[in-house]
C-alpha cells in the first residue's frame, strides 16, 4: 500500500480537513498581521509546503508556532481553507512527534495539574471577599484528568525534543 | 429575572479583578443574576488547541454540559473563553458525527452534550437580552467627554461563522454600546488587527511589535482610552506599554479599560469598588473626566 502523504495525514485530522482546497492565491498572507511583520512566517507558504509533502521542513521549523490564531486569513480565504485550524492540526502532529516549544510545556503542566492554564494563586483567592467577589467554586480537575487520559493527551509530553 | 451561568475562565480570577468586579456589579445593577457553577475548568483556548484539538473540544464541551445541567445559558467575559466555548457549542450542534465522537469521551466523566444551551458574549447579553433602552435608562454618569477607541481583539469576532457576534469586517456592536454610554467611539487605523497577545512567550519581540502598532494607531487617532473585551488584549496593551517604554523608549500613556469598566463607571458604581490599581497605566484621568 502507498504510504500516506503529509497532506493526507493533515486532512484526516480534526481542523485539517480543508487543506487541499488551497489554490495558492495568497489572500491569507496579505491578511496576516504576523506575515506583515516578519519573513519567518507566511501562511500560504506553510500550506504549500504541507501540500508538497515537505514534512520535515514544516515540523522541524519554527514557523508553524508563529501564527497568533487571529483568524483574519480564514475569514477571507476564497477557497474556505480553514487556515488557522489547519495550523492547529499541524501543531498537533508536531507535538505528537515530540517537537514541543518550551512554553507549551508550561501550558501542558498547568492544565494537567490545576485544570487551568493560568493558576489562581492562594493570594488572589484570599483577596476575593475583601474585594467584594464571591468565593471561587472548585475546579473540575478530576473530570478534566479523565478526559486527558481518555484522549491520550496526558502522554504527549513524554518525548521532549526542541525545535530548531 | 434573567439568569446566566458565568464562565470566569482562568486569567480573570487569576489577575484581573477589575474585569470581574465591573462585570458583576454592572450586571447586578441591570437586574441580571449570575450563577457560579462548581467544577468548571479551563475553556481550552488556542494554546491548548495547539497541543490537541480533540481534547480541547471535549473539555470545552464538558463545561457546556455543566451549564446544560443547570439549565442556564453561559455568559463569558474573556474572548478566549467565548471563542473556545461558542465554537465547541456550534460545532457539536451542527455535526452529529463530531458530537458522537466527543460524547464518547465525555461518557468517562458521566456527561453528555445535548446542545440545548447558548454560549453568550457579555456584549450580546447587554445588547440583545438587556437591550439598549434599558441600558440607557440606567446611565447616571454619561461618558460625554470621552473619546474611546474600541478594540475587539480577535476571538470575540472570528471565526465569525461559528461565533456569530457581528460582521467580522465591519462590526458595530462595541461602537454601539460605547455610544449608548454617552461616549464617542473613535475610528483608527487597523482597528481589527490582532494585539499580538498570543505570541507572548512564543516570540516576545513580535508580540510587542503588534501591540506597539496598535498603540501608535490609537494614539494618532486622538482617543483618550482604549476599550477592550479580552484579558489578553488588556495585558498586551496595558503591561505592553511598560515593556515598550523600556525597549523603545516610547511613552504612550493611553489608559486601557475593559468595556465593562466603562459601563460600571457610567452606571454610577464608585471607582474604588472596581480594583482600579489592577491597571499599570493609571486610569485616574479617565475617572476624573467621568465623575
Ligand atoms: S487564501 Fe486560501 S486559497 Fe488563497 S493561498 Fe491562502 S489558503 Fe490558499
Ligand atoms: S490566523 Fe495565523 S496565519 Fe491566519 S492571519 Fe492570523 S496569524 Fe496569520
Amino acid at each position: 500500500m502507498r504510504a500516506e502523504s503529509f497532506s493526507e495525514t493533515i486532512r484526516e485530522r480534526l481542523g485539517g480537513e480543508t487543506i487541499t482546497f488551497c489554490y495558492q492565491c495568497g489572500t491569507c498572507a496579505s491578511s496576516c498581521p504576523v506575515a506583515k511583520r516578519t519573513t519567518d512566517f507566511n501562511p500560504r507558504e506553510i500550506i504549500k509546503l504541507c501540500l508538497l509533502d515537505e514534512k520535515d521542513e514544516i515540523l522541524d521549523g519554527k514557523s508553524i508556532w508563529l501564527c497568533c490564531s487571529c483568524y483574519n486569513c480564514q475569514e477571507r480565504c476564497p477557497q474556505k481553507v480553514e487556515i488557522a485550524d489547519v495550523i492547529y492540526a499541524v501543531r498537533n502532529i508536531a507535538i505528537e512527534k515530540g517537537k514541543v516549544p518550551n512554553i507549551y510545556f508550561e501550558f501542558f503542566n498547568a492544565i494537567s495539574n490545576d485544570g487551568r492554564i493560568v493558576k489562581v494563586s492562594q493570594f488572589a483567592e484570599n483577596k476575593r471577599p475583601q474585594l467584594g467577589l464571591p468565593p471561587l467554586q472548585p475546579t473540575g480537575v478530576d473530570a478534566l484528568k479523565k478526559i486527558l487520559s481518555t484522549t491520550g493527551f496526558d502522554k504527549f509530553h513524554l518525548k521532549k525534543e526542541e525545535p530548531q | 429575572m434573567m439568569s446566566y451561568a458565568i464562565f470566569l475562565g482562568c486569567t480573570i480570577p487569576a489577575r484581573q479583578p477589575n474585569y470581574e468586579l465591573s462585570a458583576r456589579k454592572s450586571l447586578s445593577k441591570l437586574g441580571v443574576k449570575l450563577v457560579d457553577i462548581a467544577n468548571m475548568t479551563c475553556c481550552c483556548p488556542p494554546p491548548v488547541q495547539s497541543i490537541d484539538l480533540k481534547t480541547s473540544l471535549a473539555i470545552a464541551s464538558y463545561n457546556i454540559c455543566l451549564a446544560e445541567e443547570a439549565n442556564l445559558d453561559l455568559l463569558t467575559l474573556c474572548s478566549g473563553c467565548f471563542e473556545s466555548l461558542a465554537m465547541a457549542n456550534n460545532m457539536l450542534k451542527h455535526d452529529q458525527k463530531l458530537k458522537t465522537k466527543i460524547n464518547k469521551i465525555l461518557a468517562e466523566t458521566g456527561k453528555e452534550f445535548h446542545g440545548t444551551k447558548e454560549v453568550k458574549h457579555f456584549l450580546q447579553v447587554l445588547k440583545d437580552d438587556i437591550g439598549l433602552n434599558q441600558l440607557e435608562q440606567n446611565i447616571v454618569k454619561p461618558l460625554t467627554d470621552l473619546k474611546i477607541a474600541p478594540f475587539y481583539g480577535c476571538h470575540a469576532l472570528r471565526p465569525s461563522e461559528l461565533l456569530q457576534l457581528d460582521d467580522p469586517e465591519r462590526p458595530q456592536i462595541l461602537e454601539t454600546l460605547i455610544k449608548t454610554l454617552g461616549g464617542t467611539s473613535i475610528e483608527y487605523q487597523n482597528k481589527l488587527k490582532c494585539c499580538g497577545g498570543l505570541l507572548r512567550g512564543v516570540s516576545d519581540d513580535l508580540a510587542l511589535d503588534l501591540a506597539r502598532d496598535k498603540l501608535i494607531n490609537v494614539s494618532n487617532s486622538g482617543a483618550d482610552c482604549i476599550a477592550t473585551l479580552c484579558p489578553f488584549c488588556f495585558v498586551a496593551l496595558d503591561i505592553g506599554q511598560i515593556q515598550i517604554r523600556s525597549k523603545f523608549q516610547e511613552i504612550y500613556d493611553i489608559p486601557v479599560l475593559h468595556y465593562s469598566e466603562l459601563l460600571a463607571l457610567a452606571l454610577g458604581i464608585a471607582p474604588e469598588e472596581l480594583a482600579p490599581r489592577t491597571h499599570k497605566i493609571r486610569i485616574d484621568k479617565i475617572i476624573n473626566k467621568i465623575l
Side-chain angles (χ1 to χ4, degrees):
Chain A
M1 215 175 79
R2 186 176 65 92
E4 190 182 58
S5 73
F6 188 43
S7 58
E8 281 164 341
T9 310
I10 297 169
R11 200 177 57 192
E12 275 158 28
R13 291 193 72 108
L14 196 58
E17 301 90 343
T18 56
I19 185 167
T20 49
F21 302 160
C22 173
Y23 58 24
Q24 289 289 301
C25 67
T27 306
C28 50
S30 53
S31 306
C32 175
V34 182
K36 274 210 172 70
R37 285 263 150 219
T38 171
T39 50
D40 292 343
F41 181 76
N42 180 320
R44 184 189 57 79
E45 199 67 26
I46 288 182
I47 305 265
K48 184 172 94 184
L49 291 172
C50 291
L51 292 173
L52 291 175
D53 253 341
E54 297 289 350
K55 187 172 162 183
D56 295 338
E57 190 170 345
I58 286 291
L59 297 181
D60 292 334
K62 66 175 182 193
S63 82
I64 53 168
W65 303 102
L66 294 178
C67 165
C68 64
S69 309
C70 73
Y71 285 93
N72 270 317
C73 54
Q74 196 156 321
E75 292 290 344
R76 293 180 181 169
C77 171
Q79 285 293 92
K80 297 207 177 307
V81 179
E82 296 173 343
I83 305 146
D85 299 332
V86 167
I87 292 176
Y88 286 141
V90 177
R91 287 178 178 176
N92 290 178
I93 295 172
I95 285 189
E96 277 176 20
K97 298 200 178 302
K99 301 176 192 300
V100 188
N102 272 333
I103 182 108
Y104 285 90
F105 282 99
E106 287 171 36
F107 299 143
F108 174 87
N109 288 332
I111 285 280
S112 320
N113 299 331
D114 308 318
R116 292 178 178 279
I117 195 165
V118 182
K119 193 181 166 76
V120 181
S121 66
Q122 201 56 50
F123 177 78
E125 265 203 86
N126 294 344
K127 235 180 134 187
R128 290 178 67 87
Q130 202 183 313
L131 287 167
L133 289 168
L136 267 193
Q137 292 291 323
T139 312
V141 186
D142 290 346
L144 188 131
K145 283 190 171 155
K146 282 185 190 145
I147 295 175
L148 298 189
S149 76
T150 310
T151 61
F153 182 100
D154 55 353
K155 304 204 172 52
F156 285 171
H157 67 307
L158 295 179
K159 286 186 281 173
K160 177 170 167 141
E161 185 192 303
E162 279 298 300
Q164 303 306 304
Chain B
M1 196 180 205
M2 269 181 267
S3 305
Y4 302 87
I6 183 166
F7 190 87
L8 283 180
C10 307
T11 316
I12 293 175
R15 295 189 186 146
Q16 293 183 23
N18 58 325
Y19 203 163
E20 191 179 344
L21 281 165
S22 54
R24 283 191 191 268
K25 291 189 185 220
S26 300
L27 288 169
S28 136
K29 244 199 162 148
L30 294 164
V32 171
K33 185 176 165 214
L34 296 177
V35 180
D36 288 84
I37 294 187
N39 296 323
M40 291 198 157
T41 67
C42 175
C43 69
C44 292
V48 190
Q49 293 166 28
S50 299
I51 302 177
D52 191 49
L53 262 180
K54 190 166 75 185
T55 306
S56 304
L57 262 184
I59 295 172
S61 309
Y62 157 83
N63 284 288
I64 299 169
C65 291
L66 296 176
E68 288 182 354
E69 283 171 4
N71 196 22
L72 292 166
D73 285 335
L74 269 173
L75 182 152
T76 56
L77 300 176
C78 168
S79 301
C81 299
F82 173 65
E83 189 211 27
S84 316
L85 298 175
M87 247 170 48
N89 203 29
N90 289 329
M91 280 170 84
L92 264 57
K93 276 188 188 182
H94 297 116
D95 185 340
Q96 191 59 43
K97 250 167 87 189
L98 183 64
K99 183 170 131 182
T100 309
K101 211 191 256 175
I102 297 295
N103 269 336
K104 223 179 248 162
I105 303 171
L106 292 180
E108 296 294 318
T109 67
K111 304 283 176 215
E112 186 182 351
F113 176 92
H114 297 287
T116 51
K117 290 291 151 199
E118 300 293 325
V119 175
K120 294 195 174 184
H121 193 282
F122 178 57
L123 295 191
Q124 288 172 312
V125 169
L126 292 171
K127 179 171 160 281
D128 302 334
D129 298 356
I130 297 170
L132 297 179
N133 279 339
Q134 179 67 17
L135 188 55
E136 207 165 5
Q137 278 165 26
N138 282 280
I139 305 294
V140 292
K141 305 257 182 219
L143 311 183
T144 320
D145 294 323
L146 220 53
K147 290 182 282 184
I148 301 163
F151 182 44
Y152 285 89
C154 298
H155 297 139
L157 288 173
R158 299 182 292 265
S160 61
E161 213 177 295
L162 289 169
L163 303 184
Q164 302 280 337
L165 181 87
D166 205 340
D167 181 329
E169 303 283 356
R170 289 176 197 282
Q172 278 305 312
I173 184 167
L174 181 54
E175 289 80 348
T176 305
L177 284 165
I178 286 173
K179 286 175 205 155
T180 308
L181 305 183
T184 306
S185 176
I186 295 284
E187 286 301 312
Y188 58 98
Q189 212 185 341
N190 288 337
K191 180 168 81 171
L192 297 176
K193 283 279 177 304
C194 179
C195 69
L198 281 178
L199 290 173
R200 292 169 77 88
V202 180
S203 167
D204 288 330
D205 287 344
L206 265 176
L208 213 55
D209 256 10
L210 291 177
R212 180 167 168 250
D213 261 4
K214 180 91 6 210
L215 291 161
I216 292 173
N217 288 326
V218 169
S219 123
N220 288 340
S221 76
D224 298 310
C225 64
I226 304 176
T228 47
L229 304 174
C230 171
F232 294 96
C233 301
F234 179 86
V235 170
L237 299 177
D238 183 61
I239 299 178
Q241 287 185 60
I242 309 291
Q243 293 160 338
I244 287 168
R245 190 187 300 167
S246 52
K247 188 172 166 192
F248 298 96
Q249 282 75 50
E250 290 171 357
I251 296 175
Y252 292 96
D253 198 25
I254 303 172
V256 183
L257 289 90
H258 286 304
Y259 176 80
S260 59
E261 296 182 272
L262 293 166
L263 170 67
L265 292 167
L267 291 172
I269 297 164
E272 57 277 12
E273 285 180 37
L274 300 171
R277 302 308 294 268
T278 316
H279 295 257
K280 294 287 178 276
I281 303 297
R282 299 192 62 136
I283 58 169
D284 306 45
K285 58 183 182 190
I286 303 299
I287 292 173
N288 292 337
K289 271 199 171 184
I290 298 173
L291 297 185

